[in-house]
């Protein structure tokens, strides 16, 4: 497959996450991560992606982990993790806004199904 269209114009290289996302699904091993909301009501991570992005349909990925937040204290969620579902609600083909709304509306304990990048599994 030609990676030229995905090259970073400043480096001339294809980002590794794009190559990882092209691996066969058999290489994507889901894991469950259960998080409790923190005192501020946050799950302790932010996301990027969605089917409405400027670059077309993108998966929902963990963008960052809030230091000291629920996800950080749990330790299993990693930046770059692909979020498949939250409490059974599929997140594979929804917009960024819908993903954020869904995650904010889920009460109490939240069960995430995620796929970690190769090399980040613990």
């Amino acid at each position: 497959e030609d990676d030229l269209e995905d090259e970073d114009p400043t480096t001339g290289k294809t980002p590794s996450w794009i190559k990882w996302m092209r691996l066969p699904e058999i290489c994507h091993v889901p894991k469950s991560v259960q998080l409790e909301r923190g005192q501020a009501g946050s799950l302790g991570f932010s996301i990027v992606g969605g089917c409405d992005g400027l670059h077309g349909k993108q998966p929902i990925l963990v963008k960052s982990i809030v230091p000291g937040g629920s996800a950080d204290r749990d330790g299993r969620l990693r930046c770059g993790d692909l979020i498949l579902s939250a409490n059974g609600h599929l997140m594979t083909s929804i917009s960024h806004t819908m993903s954020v709304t869904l995650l904010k509306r889920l009460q109490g304990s939240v069960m995430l199904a995620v796929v970690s990048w190769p090399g980040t599994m613990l």
Side-chain angles (χ1 to χ4, degrees), residues 45-64 83 90-104:
F45 67 93
S46 64
I47 59 171
V48 295
C51 65
D52 57 346
L54 293 174
H55 302 289
K57 182 181 174 186
Q58 299 290 318
I60 301 296
L61 301 169
V62 175
K63 177 182 178 185
S64 61
I83 302 178
L90 290 179
M91 296 183 63
T92 52
S93 295
I94 63 176
S95 70
H96 179 82
T97 302
M98 287 287 289
S99 299
V100 170
T101 300
L102 172 65
L103 289 169
K104 286 184 175 183

Side-chain angles (χ1 to χ4, degrees), residues 20-98:
W20 176 73
M21 293 302 295
R22 290 183 180 154
L23 289 173
E25 284 197 28
I26 196 163
C27 297
H28 296 191
V29 180
K31 66 180 178 182
S32 296
V33 176
Q34 185 170 345
L35 298 176
E36 302 293 332
R37 291 198 176 277
Q39 290 180 354
S42 171
L43 293 170
F45 67 93
S46 64
I47 59 171
V48 295
C51 65
D52 57 346
L54 293 174
H55 302 289
K57 182 181 174 186
Q58 299 290 318
I60 301 296
L61 301 169
V62 175
K63 177 182 178 185
S64 61
I65 306 289
V66 177
S70 181
D72 183 40
R73 288 190 311 273
D74 178 87
R76 292 176 289 169
L77 202 61
R78 301 276 185 246
C79 292
D81 280 358
L82 168 65
I83 302 178
L84 301 174
S85 68
N87 282 6
H89 298 278
L90 290 179
M91 296 183 63
T92 52
S93 295
I94 63 176
S95 70
H96 179 82
T97 302
M98 287 287 289

